[in-house]
Amino acid sequence: MPQVRAWFYRLLGLLRKKQRDTEMAEEFQQHVDLLTERNIVAGMSAKEARNAALREFGGVEQIKETAREQRIWRWADEFFRDLRFGARMLLRNPGLSILIILCLTLGIGTNAAVLSWIEGILIRPYPLVPHQDRMFALIGTTRGVPGHNGLSYPDFLDLEKNSTLCEAFIVDRITGTTLSVGDRAERATVGIVSANYFDALGVKPILGRGFRPEEGTGRNAYPVAVISYRTWKDRYNFDPNIIGRAQYMNGVQHTIIGVAPERFHGTFIGYSFSFWVPTSMQETFDATGYKLEDRGARWIESYAFLKPGVSRQQAQAELNSISQRLENDFPDTNRGHENQLVPLWKTPFNGAGNMSSTLAITMAVVFLVLLIACANVSNLLLARSLLRRHEMTMRLALGAGRRRLVKQLITEGLLLSLIAAAGGTAVAYWCRNALVLAFPPPLPGTVIDYPGQIDWRVLAASAGICIASTLLFALVPAIRASDVDLSNALKAEAGGVLSGSSRSRLRSALVLVQVSLSFILLAGTGLLLQSLIKMQNASPGFNTNVVASVVDLFSAGYKVDRAKIFHTQLLDRVRTLPGVESAALTRVIPFSYNVFSSAPIEVDGYQPPPNEQPTVEYIEVTEDYFTTLGIPIVSGREFMRTDDENVPPLAIINETMAAKYWSGKNALGQRVKVKDKWMQIVGIAKNANYRTKIETPMPFFYVPLRQNFRVQNTLLIRTRETPGAMMNALAREVHALDANLAPLITDRLQDQIDEISYSQRLAVTLVAIFGAMALFLAAIGLYGVMSYTVSQGTREFGLRMALGAGAKDLLRLVMSRGLQLTGAGIVIGASAAVMLTRLMGNLLYKVSPRDPFAFGTAFVILFVVAFIACFLPALRATRIDPVKALRV
């Protein structure tokens, strides 16, 4: 208790320091006055009595300091004094202070912004969901087949029933819906979710309720919906009586039963959900038919929540055991099928998987920017230490220890970093949603969502960066500034803060760091930019100027027979429009977020490895599909209009499938079994890309749409007209067939490809911005070093001019020093870039990580910037007056 009481009084002493000092001074004065009076009574004069009293009392200031140490925390008192002194020093040189704070704000702010993106997109993407460390994506895989697929609903129920280590499983399937209000129709994003969706996530609707267990079963049995907060605000204007209102979605009247919280946007990274419906309504929103009882239909995107204390490895082992039992019980649909738990940042069926590599590279880039900023600030602090060499000398002469000086300078650096951290946090807050600005919604009614999350973890990491950068950029200058040769300094009145050669070497080393890191960033930017250009110019294996359009027959209530008549008539009308070269129908277009059909296959004469079920993706297309997209048929023929349900099933395979399953044979005329149907191969098509331009060629085949017609299809039109003109012409033809319908979208396939290539475009944009920032900081650093060199070499330059050196000689001398630093930095940076750019291989397309053009461009840009940064101080050196310089 006495120790606690002492701490408490010392804390109060900090708060009442001025009052205590005044009281102590008054008390000391009383003691001195009493001693003085006693001496006067003893016969001394007033002056002698006063001096004798002071001698008898002892050193007043020393006693005061001892008393202060007893009643306050000395280190805290010194820290606050150092802060006040540091603030005065910053205000004395506002220009230099602002430049230092700007450099640090850029470095800390960019790091905090990227950390907020990583936190909000990869690590904890769902702000209201607790225990996200126990939440994993659940995906399906097939042995021997690269990539992933979904889960079937019966498999999902079996996993949910038999798992003992998982707390809950949820279904989350994103799709689009048509909303109807009066005579208006809009598109919105809807999630087909399991009935326990909100309960498992721990998200409670702010109005109404979530789904009940029985609402997840049945066939179109529960047309209910929970709406998002944004939908409630934008579409229903915060209607307090929203619960119980009806909303037509895909032509079916749904009753609104709840409103989700404001910060909950769903569990699909990249898009915000507008509505959620239970799995019982799957058929209403899926034009491919009812799937809740089909074990072979793998359409579910799912998440699993582990029980507390259960590791992912333990849960995975249990899921493997359940999958093996399902494989034994249902060999026709589950042979070779497995289920895997994947961390949230690797989730493959939303934007997280695409963004992880981009954000990792961006984090590395902004860390390099921070290092450049710190090196820049160190140089600026070293320059400022020259102006304070007399201050340091006098403080040492008056008894201050070197440790005390270092503490003072570190505190000043900490004050700078705290100001910069506040500015950096503001920058991160302003930039938290910047990723959305580069990715406009592809469809009206959809909301892109790549949010940054600034929570205590990001703030703590930013604080750590702030402290680390303070030690990094302030410690070395502080140690150097306090290293004073006191004897020589006092004799010369201008002793060096440290020796000139040592100081010059340190500043040059910092510039080398800046130049080399800037070269790495510029080379990386050049590689990514070349990759993006080549990716945009590369052919995906089909004509990208084809226009794609959708007419939503599914939500209009069309059945298959009526849809077949409508699409056949529309196709005939479109083919006769002016400017149309060809047209076709397909269920799924390449480079879209829609899922291709897939099925286990059986090939005559091909024996798969044990426990492996060959599974291949395919799409349904009409005649003229290959002509419209410009995909060559290398052997056989294309589909014809007569390839309908009245002829045996047919298929066209790609070259990769032909080489894998009919190696050394002619695949034409061979058979492949798909879903208990034997299909005859009538053609072999050239390989084409289906999801990205950098994908590895994979087996793929096409089947006639007319043999298995679907309600919902996409119209592909090869035309010389613009999408806008085609939209108007198409709208007239659609209205002629059904006045209640209209085309929903009309875009070129190139637009779809650009949308899918978002992560590559974003990586280029971010690296280019941060690379330019690094170049700017490096230019400031190099300019500062050369300016310092000129100011310190004034006498040398004056002497050279007095001995006959001309302006060109001085210009050449100063420029050579700066360009030598730049050249050395470029050599170091190029060596490091050769090793580091290999880490970008997964983002590069047909570009070598050691591409000479990218490295050469980085060299030219950095050399030009360095030339300008060196030329201005060099020009100032040529204007020195030798007479004034020699007098200094």
Side-chain angles (χ1 to χ4, degrees):
M1 289 302 295
Q3 185 68 32
V4 173
R5 189 181 299 111
W7 288 346
F8 178 74
Y9 281 123
R10 287 189 175 190
L11 179 61
L12 289 180
L14 285 175
L15 301 177
R16 301 172 55 192
K17 179 185 175 184
K18 187 174 182 179
Q19 179 183 348
R20 290 291 186 89
D21 285 344
T22 302
E23 293 174 354
M24 184 168 58
E26 292 175 353
E27 184 179 351
F28 284 2
Q29 187 63 42
Q30 289 176 3
H31 284 288
V32 173
D33 290 343
L34 288 174
L35 291 174
T36 302
E37 291 177 3
R38 184 186 304 169
N39 291 335
I40 292 175
V41 171
M44 293 183 184
S45 65
K47 183 175 181 180
E48 291 176 348
R50 176 76 176 175
N51 291 336
L54 289 175
R55 286 194 301 271
E56 183 179 354
F57 188 80
V60 175
E61 294 303 321
Q62 289 87 344
I63 296 174
K64 285 182 179 181
E65 192 65 27
T66 302
R68 288 192 190 100
E69 291 180 3
Q70 296 299 319
R71 72 170 191 264
I72 63 174
W73 279 317
R74 182 177 178 181
W75 65 266
D77 184 51
E78 289 179 353
F79 177 73
F80 289 128
R81 280 189 288 171
D82 289 345
L83 281 180
R84 290 193 296 269
F85 182 78
R88 290 197 299 270
M89 296 304 298
L90 296 183
L91 294 176
R92 181 180 295 180
N93 298 287
L96 183 64
S97 300
I98 290 174
L99 187 57
I100 291 174
I101 291 172
L102 174 62
C103 293
L104 282 176
T105 298
L106 291 177
I108 296 174
T110 52
N111 276 267
V114 177
L115 282 175
S116 74
W117 298 338
I118 293 175
E119 177 79 5
I121 297 175
L122 301 182
I123 300 178
R124 290 176 178 83
Y126 315 121
L128 299 181
V129 178
H131 310 302
Q132 294 183 53
D133 56 322
R134 295 194 278 117
M135 182 178 178
F136 294 87
L138 180 60
I139 65 173
T141 60
T142 302
R143 285 193 293 271
V145 179
H148 74 282
N149 49 44
L151 280 70
S152 69
Y153 193 68
D155 281 355
F156 171 83
L157 294 178
D158 286 331
L159 292 175
E160 186 178 41
K161 177 182 178 181
N162 295 304
S163 175
T164 61
L165 299 180
C166 292
E167 195 171 62
F169 293 87
I170 61 171
V171 174
D172 170 22
R173 174 68 183 183
I174 187 173
T175 187
T177 181
T178 300
L179 305 180
S180 302
V181 176
D183 59 352
R184 290 190 301 118
E186 299 176 3
R187 293 294 291 177
T189 306
V190 65
I192 304 174
V193 299
S194 53
N196 68 332
Y197 181 78
F198 292 101
D199 293 335
L201 292 173
V203 175
K204 296 185 180 299
I206 58 175
L207 289 178
R209 62 173 178 86
F211 302 117
R212 295 181 178 134
E214 65 272 13
E215 290 173 341
T217 61
R219 185 171 185 174
N220 297 329
Y222 296 95
V224 292
V226 175
I227 67 174
S228 69
Y229 184 91
R230 188 194 301 269
T231 302
W232 184 44
K233 179 185 71 172
D234 296 342
R235 190 173 184 84
Y236 300 106
N237 196 27
F238 294 117
D239 182 3
N241 300 315
I242 188 66
I243 304 302
R245 280 191 56 176
Q247 169 65 62
Y248 277 89
M249 292 189 289
N250 277 18
V252 176
Q253 179 176 307
H254 285 70
T255 301
I256 297 174
I257 61 172
V259 178
E262 181 177 5
R263 297 176 59 202
F264 183 70
H265 306 288
T267 45
F268 189 95
I269 305 301
Y271 285 88
S272 289
F273 286 143
S274 299
F275 293 83
W276 291 269
V277 298
T279 47
S280 61
M281 301 304 296
Q282 173 266 325
E283 191 177 13
T284 301
F285 297 89
D286 189 343
T288 59
Y290 182 63
K291 298 178 180 177
L292 296 188
E293 298 175 2
D294 185 355
R295 194 173 291 274
R298 307 198 181 278
W299 62 280
I300 287 178
E301 295 163 355
S302 178
Y303 292 93
F305 295 83
L306 308 189
K307 290 182 177 179
V310 176
S311 68
R312 180 163 70 99
Q313 291 75 17
Q314 292 172 322
Q316 183 63 64
E318 182 183 57
L319 291 183
N320 292 341
S321 175
I322 298 173
S323 299
Q324 184 62 51
R325 290 203 303 268
L326 293 177
E327 183 175 358
N328 295 334
D329 294 342
F330 308 100
D332 293 339
T333 57
N334 288 58
R335 185 153 59 99
H337 186 74
E338 298 174 340
N339 300 290
Q340 291 186 3
L341 294 173
V342 177
L344 293 180
W345 63 274
K346 285 185 176 181
T347 305
F349 47 72
N350 60 35
N354 294 331
M355 295 291 292
S356 57
S357 57
T358 297
L359 291 179
I361 289 178
T362 304
M363 188 71 245
V365 167
V366 296
F367 181 71
L368 295 183
V369 172
L370 178 63
L371 291 181
I372 294 173
C374 290
N376 213 356
V377 169
S378 294
N379 263 333
L380 294 173
L381 289 177
L382 279 173
R384 192 179 70 165
S385 69
L386 294 175
L387 304 176
R388 301 177 62 182
R389 61 182 180 268
H390 183 68
E391 172 200 337
M392 299 301 164
T393 301
M394 296 308 298
R395 293 181 69 176
L396 286 171
L398 293 174
R402 187 180 178 190
R403 181 177 178 182
R404 184 70 183 85
L405 293 184
V406 171
K407 181 181 177 184
Q408 169 65 47
L409 295 173
I410 289 291
T411 303
E412 293 178 17
L414 180 61
L415 181 61
L416 285 170
S417 66
L418 288 176
I419 298 173
T425 303
V427 170
Y429 181 79
W430 294 329
C431 297
R432 68 192 187 283
N433 294 322
L435 301 186
V436 179
L437 300 178
F439 194 21
L443 289 173
T446 59
V447 179
I448 302 301
D449 184 37
Y450 283 110
Q453 184 70 23
I454 300 180
D455 57 9
W456 68 268
R457 300 173 186 86
V458 174
L459 293 178
S462 301
I465 291 173
C466 171
I467 295 172
S469 60
T470 297
L471 295 176
L472 181 66
F473 74 73
L475 185 59
V476 174
I479 293 174
R480 291 295 189 181
S482 63
D483 185 15
V484 178
D485 186 346
L486 185 57
S487 177
N488 291 334
L490 291 175
K491 289 177 182 179
E493 288 188 353
V497 175
L498 77 149
S499 63
S501 60
S502 177
R503 182 166 56 246
S504 177
R505 285 194 299 270
L506 177 60
R507 293 175 63 84
S508 298
L510 292 173
V511 171
L512 287 178
V513 170
Q514 292 175 288
V515 172
S516 59
L517 293 179
S518 298
F519 184 89
I520 294 172
L521 294 185
L522 289 174
T525 302
L527 291 173
L528 289 173
L529 185 59
Q530 280 196 80
S531 177
L532 182 64
I533 292 174
K534 288 190 175 183
M535 188 180 297
Q536 290 178 334
N537 294 335
S539 171
F542 57 85
N543 188 343
T544 61
N545 286 323
V546 172
V547 172
S549 183
V550 174
V551 180
D552 191 357
L553 301 183
F554 182 71
S555 57
Y558 274 61
K559 301 303 180 184
V560 172
D561 293 341
R562 187 182 174 195
K564 182 176 181 181
I565 296 173
F566 176 89
H567 272 131
T568 300
Q569 293 176 347
L570 179 62
L571 201 56
D572 292 338
R573 285 172 172 268
V574 168
R575 287 168 176 166
T576 62
L577 292 175
V580 173
E581 299 174 4
S582 64
L585 292 173
T586 180
R587 191 183 70 80
V588 179
I589 62 173
F591 289 81
S592 71
Y593 290 104
N594 294 321
V595 180
F596 294 106
S597 301
S598 66
I601 64 171
E602 183 179 332
V603 178
D604 268 344
Y606 177 81
Q607 184 64 38
N611 297 324
E612 183 176 309
Q613 174 66 66
T615 302
V616 181
E617 293 184 326
Y618 65 95
I619 58 174
E620 302 88 347
V621 300
T622 64
E623 69 281 358
D624 291 338
Y625 174 84
F626 297 93
T627 300
T628 302
L629 288 187
I631 300 176
I633 299 294
V634 297
S635 181
R637 67 172 178 87
E638 189 177 346
F639 295 134
M640 297 183 295
R641 187 171 184 136
T642 56
D643 293 332
D644 53 20
E645 65 274 8
N646 297 319
V647 300
L650 306 174
I652 294 176
I653 63 175
N654 69 350
E655 292 176 306
T656 301
M657 186 171 177
K660 180 174 182 177
Y661 296 110
W662 292 276
S663 179
K665 301 179 183 178
N666 184 4
L668 283 181
Q670 301 293 331
R671 297 190 308 162
V672 57
K673 187 178 182 181
V674 182
K675 292 184 177 181
D676 298 326
K677 293 182 180 180
W678 284 101
M679 298 181 175
Q680 185 179 13
I681 299 172
V682 296
I684 302 175
K686 271 284 208 185
N687 284 336
N689 297 91
Y690 307 104
R691 290 188 177 89
T692 68
K693 288 186 178 181
I694 59 176
E695 68 186 10
T696 303
M698 59 182 183
F700 198 86
F701 67 96
Y702 310 82
V703 298
L705 179 64
R706 296 189 182 278
Q707 289 190 336
N708 186 21
F709 215 89
R710 305 281 185 156
V711 173
Q712 196 65 34
N713 299 292
T714 299
L715 180 64
L716 299 176
I717 307 171
R718 187 168 184 171
T719 177
R720 298 182 296 271
E721 302 292 334
T722 64
M726 201 69 245
M727 178 74 169
N728 295 331
L730 185 60
R732 290 194 298 269
E733 301 301 328
V734 170
H735 287 153
L737 295 174
D738 190 333
N740 296 320
L741 295 177
L744 288 176
I745 53 173
T746 303
D747 286 317
R748 294 192 184 278
L749 293 182
Q750 184 62 51
D751 299 327
Q752 190 73 32
I753 294 174
D754 292 340
E755 180 185 334
I756 292 293
S757 305
Y758 168 69
S759 60
Q760 286 81 10
R761 289 186 287 118
L762 180 64
V764 173
T765 302
L766 292 177
V767 174
I769 291 174
F770 296 135
M773 190 182 301
L775 189 63
F776 169 72
L777 293 174
I780 291 177
L782 190 57
Y783 175 82
V785 167
M786 299 314 299
S787 294
Y788 162 74
T789 302
V790 170
S791 63
Q792 291 298 107
T794 300
R795 287 178 61 85
E796 176 192 347
F797 296 143
L799 182 60
R800 287 177 179 271
M801 295 180 72
L803 294 176
K808 291 184 179 179
D809 297 321
L810 292 182
L811 190 67
R812 188 182 306 111
L813 176 65
V814 177
M815 291 289 293
S816 64
R817 291 178 180 176
L819 294 181
Q820 284 175 2
L821 275 178
T822 303
I826 289 176
V827 171
I828 297 173
S831 302
V834 168
M835 295 182 291
L836 295 177
T837 51
R838 289 183 299 176
L839 303 177
M840 302 168 55
N842 60 335
L843 286 179
L844 299 181
Y845 176 74
K846 293 186 178 180
V847 176
S848 169
R850 300 177 180 180
D851 181 70
F853 181 78
F855 279 66
T857 303
F859 169 79
V860 172
I861 293 175
L862 200 53
F863 189 84
V864 169
V865 171
F867 184 88
I868 297 173
C870 296
F871 179 76
L872 297 177
L875 187 63
R876 181 158 57 88
T878 63
R879 296 174 180 173
I880 293 176
D881 186 345
V883 176
K884 293 182 179 179
L886 292 175
R887 287 177 181 172
V888 177

